[in-house]
Amino acid sequence: MNCKLVVFVPAGALDEVCGALFEAGAGRIGEYERCSWYTEGTGTFLGGEGTQPTIGERGVEERVTECRLETVYPAERHEEVVAALRRAHPYEEPAFDVYALL
């Protein structure tokens, strides 16, 4: 079974995060590698008292150009893919979803 990962990444970090995900085994469809889809949008957040935001400052609502990045990976690579995402993503708490593909 495959999974789909959807993650929101600051535009400037897209290549680094993609590279880490691909190295961990994501992005393969048949004989193709490094497969993904992304589009730009605006993410918002307000860092609480215990945060150290990568962009902006705590207590101030931020609006950031982000990319919604989607890619697939084999379910057995889940731990490696999520660990790679967390290492490469610049945010303290990256927002992401994982969907099982039937």
Side-chain angles (χ1 to χ4, degrees):
M1 177 172 52
N2 284 331
C3 296
K4 178 183 274 193
L5 171 69
V6 178
V7 60
F8 299 91
V9 181
L14 181 65
D15 290 340
E16 183 176 344
V17 172
C18 281
L21 294 172
F22 298 152
E23 284 291 317
R28 292 190 176 104
I29 301 174
E31 295 297 315
Y32 292 86
E33 295 184 23
R34 302 179 65 86
C35 300
S36 69
W37 181 86
Y38 68 89
T39 188
E40 283 191 2
T42 302
T44 64
F45 60 88
L46 176 76
E49 190 174 306
T51 64
Q52 295 180 334
T54 302
I55 298 170
E57 49 189 275
R58 78 179 79 115
V60 177
E61 184 174 343
E62 297 294 332
R63 294 186 186 325
V64 179
T65 300
E66 294 179 332
C67 294
R68 176 189 169 115
L69 169 64
E70 299 186 24
T71 192
V72 296
Y73 63 90
E76 61 269 14
R77 301 289 302 168
H78 178 76
E79 296 299 323
E80 294 89 344
V81 169
V82 171
L85 167 65
R86 291 188 182 280
R87 279 192 307 272
H89 201 290
Y91 290 171
E92 287 179 293
E93 299 289 342
F96 67 95
D97 301 310
V98 173
Y99 302 93
L101 301 177
L102 302 176

